[in-house]
Amino acid sequence: MGQGLWRIARNQQLQQQGYGGQGYLTREHGRRIPANSVSSTSHRKQAQGGIDIYHLLKTRKSKEQEGFINLEMLPPELSFTILSYLNATDLCLASCVWQDLANDELLWQGLCKSTWGHCSIYNKNPPLGFSFRKLYMQLDEGSLTFNANPDEGVNYFMSKGILDDSPKEIAKFIFCTRTLNWKKLRIYLDERRDVLDDLVTLHNFRNQFLPNALREFFRHIHAPEERGEYLETLITKFSHRFCACNPDLMRELGLSPDAVYVLCYSLILLSIDLTSPHVKNKMSKREFIRNTRRAAQNISEDFVGHLYDNIYLIGHVAA
């Protein structure tokens, strides 16, 4: 548990003791003193007002002095700050030593909300006997269940009162959670288009450049590996949401949701072309501008050129 914490405590102890390890003790005038010569020099150390090295070697230190900081002796604010850096496993181990501190509800609440940013139960009055430590275990169990079977995972969350049976609540949970398997999540969203609709509306693409907005979208809603109806649905929903978030820009550029749809498809194809090792003859900027403007004639050449530069410099929009 907390190897960094142990090292800090150990180094502090060694500095206080002047103990260098491996049979050697503190330096004197740049010279190492072997451990077997301590008895001959201890009286000189004491005469000089230094520490009693022989006594330090022979005296058994208590557990707290052998490498553990006693957090109970520190101010509570400092103790909780130290423990807040631990994950759930290390915090459970810490509770074996500092039970009252490591079982504090604020620590487990922080762990829950840092991993699962939204749950319906966060906004409700907690039931009798509620604890965030127990909730963490249930959320972890539910996530593992979801990654094996998405429907069973969602049903588990609902049965424990963690999530309400609402597409909007499920969408918020998915949007704020990073522990769900993206392949299983893709299957679930393909089956639950009502949840997908609410998930799309949670994105805010205001004042974002189109390729960057598309990358953010596919970070939350992973694109399928093959082109098909589901990919077309995702691009259609993204196009309408992007236009709704940037009405002034759409009027200025003369773009419609259909035109944004064409641009998104062009960006995906360009990403594959530029990043795939199997494509030897990469699409040039001039070719991309020509092909895109054939499909969407009202788009300016400069704007399409900036799109090409973004993919060339940053990379795939759906990686």
Side-chain angles (χ1 to χ4, degrees), residues 142 144-154 184:
L144 293 174
T145 304
F146 183 97
N147 292 340
N149 187 310
D151 291 326
E152 291 184 5
V154 173
K184 297 294 183 180

Side-chain angles (χ1 to χ4, degrees), residues 18-304:
Y19 183 30
Q22 296 181 357
Y24 286 91
L25 299 173
T26 186
R27 294 174 181 266
E28 182 186 9
H29 304 297
R31 179 174 58 87
R32 285 184 174 179
I33 305 176
N36 56 14
S37 64
V38 170
S39 59
S40 63
T41 59
S42 59
H43 66 282
R44 182 159 51 88
K45 286 290 185 179
Q46 292 176 345
Q48 293 176 353
I51 60 175
D52 187 351
I53 300 175
Y54 180 76
H55 178 70
L56 289 175
L57 285 177
K58 293 297 182 180
T59 305
R60 297 293 300 172
K61 297 299 180 179
S62 63
K63 185 176 181 179
E64 290 80 3
Q65 293 173 316
E66 286 184 343
F68 292 94
I69 295 177
N70 188 355
L71 297 182
E72 294 177 347
M73 303 300 294
L74 299 177
E77 297 82 0
L78 180 57
S79 300
F80 289 139
T81 300
I82 294 172
L83 291 175
S84 67
Y85 287 96
L86 303 182
N87 57 33
T89 302
D90 288 344
L91 197 57
C92 287
L93 294 174
S95 65
C96 298
V97 181
W98 306 291
Q99 184 174 2
D100 293 336
L101 289 173
N103 287 333
D104 188 85
E105 281 291 277
L106 288 177
L107 292 175
W108 287 99
Q109 180 181 357
L111 281 175
C112 288
K113 293 187 176 182
S114 64
T115 309
W116 300 275
H118 174 83
C119 293
S120 303
I121 198 172
Y122 292 161
N123 302 318
K124 298 179 180 179
N125 292 325
L128 185 64
F130 173 84
S131 75
F132 276 99
R133 179 171 181 170
K134 181 180 178 181
L135 177 62
Y136 184 96
M137 304 306 173
Q138 292 175 338
L139 285 167
D140 188 57
E141 178 68 23
S143 298
L144 293 174
T145 304
F146 183 97
N147 292 340
N149 187 310
D151 291 326
E152 291 184 5
V154 173
N155 291 335
Y156 176 87
F157 289 130
M158 293 179 182
S159 67
K160 298 298 183 181
I162 297 173
L163 278 181
D164 292 340
D165 189 4
S166 163
K168 183 175 292 186
E169 285 297 299
I170 299 174
K172 288 181 180 180
F173 176 79
I174 293 173
F175 186 80
C176 298
T177 301
R178 298 292 177 269
T179 61
L180 304 179
N181 182 275
W182 66 270
K183 292 184 178 180
K184 297 294 183 180
L185 183 58
R186 186 178 63 195
I187 295 173
Y188 180 79
L189 293 176
D190 193 12
E191 296 174 351
R192 292 291 304 269
R193 298 298 176 91
D194 55 341
V195 176
L196 177 61
D197 289 339
D198 286 314
L199 186 57
V200 172
T201 60
L202 293 175
H203 290 81
N204 183 9
F205 302 123
R206 183 171 178 81
N207 296 328
Q208 291 192 29
F209 193 37
L210 181 59
N212 297 333
L214 198 57
R215 289 189 185 92
E216 180 183 336
F217 179 75
F218 283 130
R219 274 196 294 268
H220 288 95
I221 308 175
H222 291 271
E225 297 174 353
E226 297 179 356
R227 279 180 279 177
E229 186 269 338
Y230 181 58
L231 178 60
E232 294 176 359
T233 299
L234 291 182
I235 298 177
T236 300
K237 292 182 182 297
F238 168 83
S239 301
H240 284 85
R241 181 61 181 167
F242 184 82
C243 292
C245 292
N246 299 281
D248 296 336
L249 179 63
M250 295 302 102
R251 285 193 297 268
E252 179 182 344
L253 297 177
L255 297 177
S256 64
D258 291 338
V260 174
Y261 177 92
V262 172
L263 290 177
C264 290
Y265 237 115
S266 299
L267 290 173
I268 293 174
L269 295 177
L270 176 63
S271 298
I272 297 173
D273 185 276
L274 294 182
T275 60
S276 175
H278 304 292
V279 179
K280 295 183 179 180
N281 298 321
K282 305 296 184 182
M283 184 182 299
S284 66
K285 186 174 182 178
R286 180 176 298 179
E287 291 173 333
F288 177 73
I289 294 174
R290 183 178 64 249
N291 295 338
T292 303
R293 296 197 68 193
R294 285 177 182 174
Q297 299 178 359
N298 295 330
I299 302 175
S300 70
E301 183 173 326
D302 290 340
F303 181 74
V304 179

